[in-house]
Amino acid sequence: MRILVYDVAAESGGAVTVLESFYEEFSRDKKNRYVFVLGRYELQRTENIRVLCYPWVKKSPLHRLYFEWVKAPRIIKKYRIDRVLSLQNIGLPRAEVPQELYEHNALPFSEHRFRLKDGYRPWLTQQLLGRLMKRSIRHAEKVMVQTRWMKEAIVRQCGIPREKVEVKFPAVEMLPTESWKLNSECPIFLYPANASAYKNHRTLLAACKLLQERGFTAYRMIWTVTGEENGGIRAIRRAAEQAGLPVEFRGSVTRRELFDLYASSILVFPSYVETVGMPLLEAQSAEAPILAADCPYARDIAGDYDRAEFLPVFDADAWCAAMLGSLEN
């Protein structure tokens, strides 16, 4: 069988991790032949894998539309493809062969409904991309997701048979760390997340203000954003600086640095939209305490972890109390 793996969007981060995990799996499959269709990211050709790169597809949405509606069907015919695996949440519109989808965007299936004023991107994802994803899911032969909660949400919202959805947890490399130990004189709270509005930095900011009001300032709150990514996070940084809060806008860190931080920090994770919430899994490998939003994804990943506590998403008082309690414990 000849299988086309479509992922022109993958360029960095989690998307590349998913792409490479499928590449490694398929490189060991000697029964089938694969054609990986990519954008700018490059992979090596192997005995059973052909790699086609089209960097120009990233130039604009129009280039992407042309590729999917015109170029991709030609590739399918040229290489006599029997099946398509799309790693981009949505299938190819004119494939004319059976398709499988890998769904890793949680926004369309989140219980939280975004308004336009909450953020243009998440609103557009739910209103437009979400509809396209659900339509594509209904037409796909098979759907793969990363977590159980995503499977339940897709089955319920798309009205498809449960057996059509497979849970395929992403391969994750955990780095070894020293035994977990917190600095008692100046403990660290760590929040590794990007600057999207649904990451909920505002609730942590409010909790830090409450800690300050209660006379507790001998700690560090480390965020992996610079505070310059967008208007929302810039406003949060200004508020933190004006209040004199011990919030450190460190920006991105290496994976080695991240795991070293896990081994000396308490993870706080108030995000209310995630597919997996990978830091929850990574922090467990370092045996770090976790304070997480009480959401299905978090319960799915850390529900059985005895050092995890789940908190109301937007309740700053609860987060403040839990932060104080975790230090006392």
Side-chain angles (χ1 to χ4, degrees), residues 34-137:
Y34 296 88
V35 177
F36 275 66
V37 177
L38 311 176
R40 294 190 182 125
Y41 197 75
E42 297 182 358
L43 293 170
Q44 294 295 317
R45 179 171 178 169
T46 70
E47 181 181 347
N48 67 325
I49 296 178
R50 180 189 296 269
V51 180
L52 306 177
C53 294
Y54 300 90
W56 57 265
V57 78
K58 307 282 285 187
K59 288 183 179 180
S60 73
L62 287 177
H63 286 82
R64 175 78 169 265
L65 283 172
Y66 171 80
F67 188 89
E68 293 188 348
W69 283 86
V70 179
K71 183 67 175 177
R74 293 174 181 171
I75 294 172
I76 289 171
K77 290 180 180 179
K78 178 179 179 180
Y79 292 97
R80 293 178 292 168
I81 298 299
D82 301 302
R83 181 179 296 271
V84 169
L85 168 60
S86 173
L87 303 184
Q88 296 185 179
N89 302 296
I90 295 176
L92 289 170
R94 298 178 59 208
E96 297 182 358
V97 295
Q99 295 197 65
E100 297 180 8
L101 304 179
Y102 189 79
E103 299 289 337
H104 50 86
N105 189 332
L107 272 167
F109 308 101
S110 170
E111 295 177 356
H112 182 87
R113 306 314 296 172
F114 285 88
R115 297 167 297 177
L116 184 57
K117 68 177 184 178
D118 296 329
Y120 175 73
R121 279 184 172 273
W123 176 83
L124 184 65
T125 298
Q126 286 189 333
Q127 297 301 316
L128 178 59
L129 183 61
R131 288 187 172 91
L132 295 174
M133 285 172 59
K134 290 174 183 180
R135 182 182 177 210
S136 197
I137 286 170

Side-chain angles (χ1 to χ4, degrees), residues 206-231:
C208 290
K209 288 181 178 179
L210 291 172
L211 287 174
Q212 185 183 62
E213 291 173 6
R214 298 174 189 182
F216 187 78
T217 57
Y219 69 94
R220 295 163 63 199
M221 173 70 74
I222 297 178
W223 292 350
T224 56
V225 291
T226 64
E228 298 295 332
E229 287 85 352
N230 56 52

Side-chain angles (χ1 to χ4, degrees), residues 299-317:
R299 292 281 185 178
D300 205 354
I301 297 300
D304 296 329
Y305 184 51
D306 60 6
R307 304 195 75 185
E309 183 177 353
F310 302 94
L311 306 166
V313 176
F314 301 109
D315 190 340
D317 284 296

Side-chain angles (χ1 to χ4, degrees), residues 149-318:
W149 86 262
M150 277 278 285
K151 175 175 180 173
E152 297 303 323
I154 284 175
V155 168
R156 183 176 66 256
Q157 294 183 32
C158 297
I160 61 175
R162 297 179 60 82
E163 56 270 19
K164 184 175 175 177
V165 186
E166 174 190 348
V167 177
K168 189 178 180 69
F169 197 81
V172 184
E173 179 188 7
M174 301 298 175
L175 301 186
T177 65
E178 300 291 335
S179 297
W180 182 86
K181 184 178 182 181
L182 196 66
N183 183 335
S184 58
E185 294 183 0
C186 189
I188 296 173
F189 292 100
L190 172 67
Y191 187 26
N194 63 35
S196 299
Y198 54 81
K199 296 297 183 178
N200 200 18
H201 288 87
R202 287 190 180 278
T203 295
L204 279 187
L205 179 74
C208 290
K209 288 181 178 179
L210 291 172
L211 287 174
Q212 185 183 62
E213 291 173 6
R214 298 174 189 182
F216 187 78
T217 57
Y219 69 94
R220 295 163 63 199
M221 173 70 74
I222 297 178
W223 292 350
T224 56
V225 291
T226 64
E228 298 295 332
E229 287 85 352
N230 56 52
I233 203 70
R234 281 194 293 271
I236 289 173
R237 179 166 186 166
R238 285 194 300 270
E241 292 173 347
Q242 289 169 4
L245 300 175
V247 179
E248 181 180 333
F249 293 79
R250 182 172 293 192
S252 62
V253 297
T254 66
R255 193 155 178 79
R256 179 67 272 167
E257 291 170 329
L258 180 61
F259 273 79
D260 288 341
L261 283 169
Y262 285 137
S264 58
S265 308
I266 296 169
L267 178 70
V268 286
F269 208 77
S271 174
Y272 50 90
V273 179
E274 297 287 334
T275 303
V276 177
M278 200 60 71
L280 299 176
L281 193 65
E282 295 167 343
Q284 289 179 64
S285 75
E287 299 183 349
I290 294 173
L291 304 178
D294 194 357
C295 296
Y297 80 85
R299 292 281 185 178
D300 205 354
I301 297 300
D304 296 329
Y305 184 51
D306 60 6
R307 304 195 75 185
E309 183 177 353
F310 302 94
L311 306 166
V313 176
F314 301 109
D315 190 340
D317 284 296

Side-chain angles (χ1 to χ4, degrees), residues 5-44:
V5 181
Y6 181 67
D7 199 1
V8 297
E11 198 167 353
S12 62
V16 166
T17 301
V18 169
L19 172 63
E20 290 186 339
S21 69
F22 276 99
Y23 174 80
E24 292 296 327
E25 177 184 341
F26 293 158
S27 65
R28 298 188 294 269
D29 179 5
K30 305 306 179 185
K31 295 182 179 179
N32 299 301
R33 294 290 179 266
Y34 296 88
V35 177
F36 275 66
V37 177
L38 311 176
R40 294 190 182 125
Y41 197 75
E42 297 182 358
L43 293 170
Q44 294 295 317

